[in-house]
Amino acid sequence: MNESRLAQLFKFLEDDPNDAFTLYAIATEYRKEDPQKALGYYEKLLSEHESYVGTYYHAAKLYEELGQNDVAEQTYKKGMLISRREGNMHAFSELQQAYNKMMGLDYEDD
């Protein structure tokens, strides 16, 4: 975790407490060192910035890693719905692949 980058991000957050990108960047900084803290920021994004599509994949992956597969499944599904609604088919595809893999539906051609 880069302390100076985190300090800068918190400064940005102070200037604009509702900036989705800053919240996302803070969650990403905390991701490896403090997954629970990262999850708090992801959950804030999911509830307050529903159309910020980038959150869904990372939040769902983290839920998976924490053994919360039901919540991960719901997060993937909602992310697919939102990304389709937003016309972001790249995000939709990534979410669908991760969801299929988690659900054991990953049928790649060998």
Side-chain angles (χ1 to χ4, degrees), residues 31-49:
R31 182 77 169 76
K32 281 192 171 49
E33 305 283 325
D34 193 340
Q36 285 303 136
K37 200 171 262 192
L39 194 58
Y41 284 98
Y42 285 137
E43 288 175 342
K44 182 175 174 67
L45 280 161
L46 292 171
S47 68
E48 296 177 15
H49 300 278

Side-chain angles (χ1 to χ4, degrees), residues 57 60-61 64 69 72-77 80 84 91-108:
Y57 177 89
K61 272 285 180 210
E64 249 187 281
N69 285 7
E73 180 182 349
Q74 292 167 3
T75 305
Y76 281 129
K77 285 179 174 178
M80 286 186 278
R84 181 176 274 161
F92 175 83
S93 175
E94 284 185 337
L95 286 159
Q96 188 171 47
Q97 286 175 6
Y99 170 78
N100 288 348
K101 189 171 190 177
M102 183 187 88
M103 302 301 288
L105 306 170
D106 201 15
Y107 306 119
E108 290 189 22

Side-chain angles (χ1 to χ4, degrees), residues 49-67:
H49 300 278
E50 189 179 74
S51 63
Y52 196 77
V53 176
T55 307
Y56 291 91
Y57 177 89
H58 296 285
K61 272 285 180 210
L62 186 51
Y63 283 127
E64 249 187 281
E65 289 168 20
L66 296 172

Side-chain angles (χ1 to χ4, degrees), residues 14 49 70 79 89 94:
E14 212 175 278
H49 300 278
D70 289 351
M89 297 318 286
E94 284 185 337

